[in-house]
Amino acid sequence: MNIQWYPGHMTKARRMMQEDIKLIDIVIELVDARLPLASKNPDIDELAKGKARLILLNKADMADMKYTKLWEDYFKNQGFFVLQINARTGAGMKAVTGVINEACKEKIERDRKRGIKNRPIRAMIVGIPNVGKSTFINSYAGKACTKTGNKPGVTKGKQWIKLNRNVELLDTPGILWPKFEDQTVGIKLAISGSIKDDILNITELALKLADYLRVNYPGAMAARYQIEEKEDGVALLSDIAIAKCCLVKGGQPDLDKAAAMLIDDFRSLRLGRITLEQPE
Ligand code: G4P
């Protein structure tokens, strides 16, 4: 399967981000806890060079907790500050401000030495589409926040959300483009629902997912569909179709229907909390 998908105006988006990053002290990057590498664009590491970095493993409520912990350690070992959050409910988000302050300790100290007191930390949210940027901003900023207008030295039109005395957030998130050179990245993004379904072959995706589940989450499909998980590939999807009475005329298994069901069950957590990639 060849997934070719880019948000339009990628070059423009990149240029804008480059400009925005100059204004900020810390880049807060959201990744999907179920696929932290596939949902991370490595270009941001270059773009955000010299800035404090916080990685938020978002949608942690959907991911397998034991792997989320491993991913947290993985990124911490690379020098990032890391938190697990659920932007939808706000779980884990109380810690965000404290970690921002911690990550920007050096900057605060530098300011202090230069006699600058109480200059707020400026933060920017970045992430690929659908990772939860708007949900995070709404939930983090809440209703209590005030938008600050243009300020001298700040590009005209930039809006900052004053979160508290210490932190201001650029109100438009930076949209990163997924990295598609590796086809497995596109497939994981597609399975998770980050790419529109109408440009994808759901049956091919479901075959990949079924094989992954059989190896990494044995018993998950057996429990949901009352199948034996003895075979893989088309035979496995076919077993699911038969077990759930997804049949076409003539009694043959309807693989497309079973595929759509499997993908939907995965996205709706009916197969449990599943992580699609594990750290080395
Ligand atoms: P974006 O700005 O990065 O493009 O993403 P956005 O906030 O629009 O979020 C994309 C989808 O992911 C939304 O669901 C949102 O509710 C969901 N989401 C964001 N964070 C979390 C999280 O931590 N956990 C879970 N389970 N879901 C999360 P949607 O179905 O597109 O919209 P809606 O039904 O919530 O309105």
Side-chain angles (χ1 to χ4, degrees), residues 58-59 61-62 85-88 128-135:
N58 192 35
K59 308 196 184 183
D61 54 306
M62 304 180 89
I85 62 159
N86 173 350
R88 214 180 224 172
I128 63 165
N130 279 317
V131 76
K133 297 178 294 302
S134 330
T135 310

Side-chain angles (χ1 to χ4, degrees), residues 50-93:
K51 304 289 175 181
R53 302 288 301 279
L54 167 58
I55 290 191
L56 298 178
L57 294 162
N58 192 35
K59 308 196 184 183
D61 54 306
M62 304 180 89
D64 184 332
M65 277 185 282
K66 72 173 179 291
Y67 291 123
T68 309
K69 179 73 188 88
L70 293 179
W71 279 115
E72 186 179 332
D73 297 342
Y74 170 93
F75 287 118
K76 278 184 177 161
N77 285 337
Q78 295 188 357
F80 294 102
F81 286 83
V82 188
L83 283 174
Q84 303 180 22
I85 62 159
N86 173 350
R88 214 180 224 172
T89 62
M93 285 182 43

